[in-house]
Amino acid sequence: MEEKIRTFIQNNFLLGDKNRAIKEDESFLQNGIIDSTGVLELVNFIEETYKIKVEDEELVPENLDSIQNLIAYIQRKQE
């Protein structure tokens, strides 16, 4: 799951820059990796890839702002 998310972030927001390492707990928003429009792309990726529905109230940094947070969020949704 982590590699799939990392690859999506690198290909879609870092223009395929494989030299740019993203730490598991690195904030996408604070570090300029993803902007508010990018969050919508990320949500679409999550919903299609993991077959879950991201509710409006779940669009918070605690769920979506790092690889670590994304993995924990997706795992909670899949339970």
Side-chain angles (χ1 to χ4, degrees):
M1 180 183 299
E2 179 181 340
E3 192 57 36
K4 193 176 281 189
I5 292 169
R6 188 179 301 280
T7 298
F8 175 81
I9 299 295
Q10 287 177 321
N11 289 342
N12 291 280
F13 303 110
L14 300 176
L15 306 175
D17 183 0
K18 304 251 186 255
N19 294 322
R20 169 67 166 86
I22 306 169
K23 296 177 189 167
E24 281 187 24
D25 61 348
E26 184 174 355
S27 169
F28 299 144
L29 294 171
Q30 288 182 0
N31 292 298
I33 297 171
I34 295 177
D35 59 16
S36 58
T37 304
V39 171
L40 299 177
E41 290 179 51
L42 181 61
V43 167
N44 189 45
F45 165 74
I46 293 168
E47 289 182 333
E48 288 185 5
T49 304
Y50 298 101
K51 310 297 182 209
I52 60 174
K53 172 73 177 142
V54 178
E55 303 296 338
D56 289 344
E57 61 271 14
E58 296 171 331
L59 295 172
V60 294
E62 291 77 16
N63 290 335
L64 307 172
D65 194 34
S66 69
I67 292 173
Q68 186 176 29
N69 290 4
L70 275 170
I71 291 171
Y73 170 72
I74 293 166
Q75 289 175 336
R76 283 193 309 273
K77 292 288 284 189
Q78 290 179 327
E79 290 180 351

